[in-house]
Amino acid sequence: MDRRTRINASLLRATVAAAWITCPWAVQAQTATTAAAPEASATVMSLRQAFDAAWARQPEATALPARRDAARAQRQAAQSWTPEPAALEVSNKTDRLNRNAGARELEVGVAVPLWLPGERNRSAALAEAEGAAIESRATAAQLRVAASVREAWWQWQRARIEGDSAREQLDNTRRIAADVARRTKAGDLARADQHQTDGAVAAAESALAQAEAGLAAAQQHLRALAGRAPVASDAVGGSEELPTAASGEIDAHAALQELKDRATVAERTAALAATQSRANPELMLATTRDRGAFGESSQQTITLGVRIPFGGGPRVEARGANARAEATEAQAQLALERERLSAEGEAARVRVDASRTQLAAAERRALLARESRGFFDKSFRLGETDLPTRLRIEAEAAEAERQAARARLELAAAISAWRQALGLLPQ
């Protein structure tokens, strides 16, 4: 083997060995990329998406299609020609078991129920009212779910801000502690100063642990509603727009509409009960074929009759009285609910105005605290400010930043609560 051939063989063996060595690392890299792919492709959950997921899990949403089918079937029944289906009547008479003289009688007939005067129109009106009541009841249920989701969402946002503020305060305290440790080794500061900063770091670590525990609890609460726990990137999708003047109409509120439809259903039920004072009459048409004895020819007759029941009496009166009581109760509750919602909407509007004022003051305080922190940080590094003052200024600046972030969040939460008071679903 010449020299060139030996060199080529050595290079081939080295290439194969390198391939075997790097293969596991390539597999691990591909596995890591595959594992990270679902996280990268995960969609950010907004407040609206959290509400949609929570509503889809509710029993009312699951049963809503079946209720709509029932209302549709009831409307079709009210539009039919008869209140109940027709009935077929068949009877056969014979003397075979006693005399056996050949007497036979076969009767075949149809009984058709008839509408009472005004019953069909009032049944159709009741079916329409119940269909509308199903929709308003579903909208009111959505609004109740929206209240729970909004409360959990903003509670999680508050816990997230507390966690971010505690984490930032811990970082700043550790930076000061590192500077104090360096200056203590150089002899510029006493050991007592280092102990003080170490204590401040421990306190910040404790505050961070408490904030993270509260954040985890808020995440699990929202997860129980929406089906999945939120992530940090979800925090950007929670703000809602201010309500417009048209959306402030209290009469369009879902809770009021539910009570209105409930009262309408009760009133139309009472009207129908007043019409149904007796059972439905029946129209009977029958044909009879009979003979008297053996050898006689059969005779065929036609029977046309009407069956009119007597009045229902106390049963009908009880049904009508219950329906009127339901209507009276719904009307009274409607008046009380309108006053409550009006007061709640006004209180929510005032809260929004107060939150704007608090936000302006908190941002001004945070700006001044940041400037003061810069001044005292520089003077502390120059030895012109003692450590307790530096730690106090740092704590005040962190608190001012936390209050500013909390004020921005409270303004968004106040707008969301205002929309909830007006009966608007999350955006």
Side-chain angles (χ1 to χ4, degrees), residues 197-214:
T197 55
D198 291 341
V201 170
E205 290 175 348
S206 176
L208 177 59
Q210 184 177 1
E212 289 178 347

Side-chain angles (χ1 to χ4, degrees), residues 64-85:
L64 184 58
R67 294 185 184 278
R68 287 172 175 168
D69 292 340
R72 190 181 306 111
Q74 188 173 0
R75 285 193 295 267
Q76 293 175 356
Q79 295 172 358
S80 62
W81 289 100
T82 59
E84 297 291 339

Side-chain angles (χ1 to χ4, degrees), residues 297-320:
S297 60
S298 299
Q299 303 295 325
Q300 186 171 1
T301 58
I302 302 296
T303 302
L304 179 63
V306 177
R307 180 175 176 270
I308 301 177
F310 292 116
R315 295 184 181 87
V316 176
E317 295 178 0
R319 188 166 65 248

Side-chain angles (χ1 to χ4, degrees), residues 85-359:
L88 177 64
E89 296 182 356
V90 180
S91 63
N92 184 28
K93 296 180 181 181
T94 180
D95 63 348
R96 181 178 298 178
L97 298 179
N98 47 14
R99 294 189 308 138
N100 196 19
R104 300 287 187 271
E105 181 179 344
L106 177 63
E107 184 179 4
V108 179
V110 177
V112 181
L114 301 177
W115 289 104
L116 292 169
E119 182 185 10
R120 186 180 182 185
N121 293 334
R122 294 184 178 182
S123 296
L126 177 59
E128 291 295 332
E130 289 184 345
I134 289 174
E135 299 300 329
S136 63
R137 191 181 305 119
T139 305
Q142 285 182 335
L143 191 60
R144 289 189 290 270
V145 173
S148 300
V149 172
R150 277 172 166 143
E151 181 180 359
W153 178 270
W154 295 114
Q155 189 62 31
W156 168 67
Q157 296 278 28
R158 294 183 184 95
R160 184 186 58 84
I161 287 180
E162 295 294 335
D164 293 343
S165 299
R167 194 173 296 106
E168 183 180 359
Q169 186 173 4
L170 177 60
D171 293 339
N172 292 334
T173 306
R174 283 176 174 173
R175 181 177 56 82
I176 296 175
D179 185 27
V180 170
R182 180 183 56 81
R183 293 174 63 179
T184 300
K185 289 182 180 179
D188 294 341
L189 295 176
R191 289 288 301 275
D193 293 332
Q194 184 175 357
H195 288 177
Q196 189 173 2
T197 55
D198 291 341
V201 170
E205 290 175 348
S206 176
L208 177 59
Q210 184 177 1
E212 289 178 347
L215 178 60
Q219 285 177 334
Q220 293 306 315
H221 186 198
L222 188 55
R223 178 180 180 273
L225 292 173
R228 77 171 178 90
V231 295
S233 58
D234 294 339
V236 299
S239 299
E240 298 186 77
E241 296 180 358
L242 279 172
T244 59
S247 61
E249 295 294 333
I250 195 64
D251 289 335
H253 199 283
L256 295 182
Q257 191 62 43
E258 180 187 17
L259 291 174
K260 290 178 183 178
D261 291 341
R262 176 184 162 189
T264 302
V265 169
E267 290 172 355
R268 295 185 180 179
T269 301
L272 181 60
T275 302
Q276 295 174 334
S277 59
R278 65 184 73 239
N280 293 95
E282 293 181 356
L283 176 64
M284 294 176 292
L285 178 62
T287 178
T288 305
R289 186 177 181 85
D290 68 300
R291 70 181 182 184
F294 289 115
E296 295 182 2
S297 60
S298 299
Q299 303 295 325
Q300 186 171 1
T301 58
I302 302 296
T303 302
L304 179 63
V306 177
R307 180 175 176 270
I308 301 177
F310 292 116
R315 295 184 181 87
V316 176
E317 295 178 0
R319 188 166 65 248
N322 287 332
R324 289 190 296 272
E326 287 288 336
T328 303
E329 180 182 352
Q331 290 291 349
Q333 189 174 357
L334 177 61
L336 294 176
E337 190 71 8
R338 181 181 285 107
E339 293 180 1
R340 186 189 69 83
L341 291 175
S342 179
E344 185 177 344
E346 181 63 21
R349 186 192 63 79
V350 173
R351 178 187 170 189
V352 170
D353 295 339
S355 297
R356 286 199 186 98
T357 304
Q358 292 176 354
L359 176 59

